[in-house]
Amino acid sequence: MIVRNFVKMHHYETSNRPSICVVDKFLSRNNFSDLSEFAEECQYRYGEKDNGSQRPTGMTYDLLTEDTDEEDQDVIDLIHGKILEKFPEMEEYKLDRLYINCFAPREIANFHQDCDEPLDCVTFLLYANPVFKGLDEGGTTEFYLEEKLIAIPPIPNTLVKFTGWIWHRATPYNTDHRFTYAIKYTKDY
């Protein structure tokens, strides 16, 4: 019996430049399982502060640092390499930051932008929780685009690519911690 791993991509575009793209089954099962376990075992620091006036939320583990160890570098190489494979246009961008977000159950995050419009920046999110418990559990990423909210559910092993200056936020799970890899690029001019 041959099992095929079909990858679906969904695009949400507007008349303006911003866009959101969703890629199902981004990594192989084994690679995703390894990254999911890795995210659960990291030592996080409190307080991602997205905008200067907002209170910090969540916890983060930065992979891309001056003293990145071998295990972290393997994770970076896997994710960055797979992004370049699926999105060759990202070769023109610089990888600025790669980290894991961790939100506690029912912890409310702030809407924010990853860069100021009209900078050319792209953010990717990889949902790292191993199980999707349904819509009532929460955990979506909400995007505010053209006076509409678009919510992308946290299906395990789903990659979301979006224009970094779109206002967005994580929503918490009701009963579990929410783990998401965040990968941020800027255009290298």
Side-chain angles (χ1 to χ4, degrees):
M1 178 170 150
I2 298 174
V3 177
R4 296 177 193 248
N5 185 11
F6 291 101
V7 175
K8 293 188 278 184
M9 293 177 124
H10 310 280
H11 295 273
Y12 303 89
E13 296 186 24
T14 66
S15 56
N16 296 328
R17 190 175 144 286
S19 67
I20 302 166
C21 175
V22 178
V23 180
D24 299 325
K25 299 179 183 172
F26 176 64
L27 299 170
S28 72
R29 263 188 223 156
N30 288 341
N31 284 339
F32 176 72
S33 179
D34 290 346
L35 289 188
S36 184
E37 288 175 22
F38 180 83
E40 290 179 2
E41 295 170 2
C42 289
Q43 298 293 314
Y44 290 89
R45 72 172 171 76
Y46 169 72
E48 183 72 7
K49 196 166 184 178
D50 295 306
N51 294 321
S53 63
Q54 295 175 326
R55 64 177 170 65
T57 61
M59 298 178 286
T60 59
Y61 177 79
D62 285 292
L63 288 118
L64 194 61
T65 64
E66 289 180 9
D67 57 341
T68 298
D69 68 23
E70 187 176 329
E71 186 176 23
D72 289 0
Q73 189 62 53
D74 289 344
V75 171
I76 293 166
D77 292 344
L78 173 64
I79 294 173
H80 179 60
K82 203 66 165 160
I83 286 173
L84 294 179
E85 181 182 311
K86 293 210 184 292
F87 299 95
E89 70 274 14
M90 295 310 297
E91 290 278 0
E92 298 175 23
Y93 289 74
K94 176 185 172 219
L95 176 60
D96 282 329
R97 190 167 178 213
L98 200 157
Y99 61 100
I100 307 169
N101 278 317
C102 175
F103 285 95
R106 300 180 183 240
E107 180 178 7
I108 305 299
N110 301 310
F111 272 99
H112 64 280
Q113 296 169 293
D114 291 338
C115 66
D116 294 325
E117 186 177 350
L119 291 177
D120 195 355
C121 62
V122 177
T123 300
F124 292 84
L125 300 175
L126 176 61
Y127 294 125
N129 286 69
V131 176
F132 177 59
K133 294 183 178 179
L135 293 176
D136 289 334
E137 178 64 13
T140 63
T141 301
E142 294 180 336
F143 297 92
Y144 184 70
L145 189 58
E146 291 191 344
E147 299 182 9
K148 292 178 180 63
L149 267 176
I150 299 169
I152 308 297
I155 308 295
N157 200 14
T158 295
L159 182 79
V160 181
K161 174 190 177 199
F162 61 96
T163 306
W165 47 264
I166 296 174
W167 286 93
H168 63 282
R169 72 171 177 180
T171 66
Y173 283 132
N174 284 321
T175 59
D176 286 327
H177 283 76
R178 178 187 188 268
F179 298 100
T180 309
Y181 285 83
I183 309 100
K184 298 181 179 181
Y185 294 87
T186 53
K187 187 75 167 198
D188 193 13
Y189 290 103

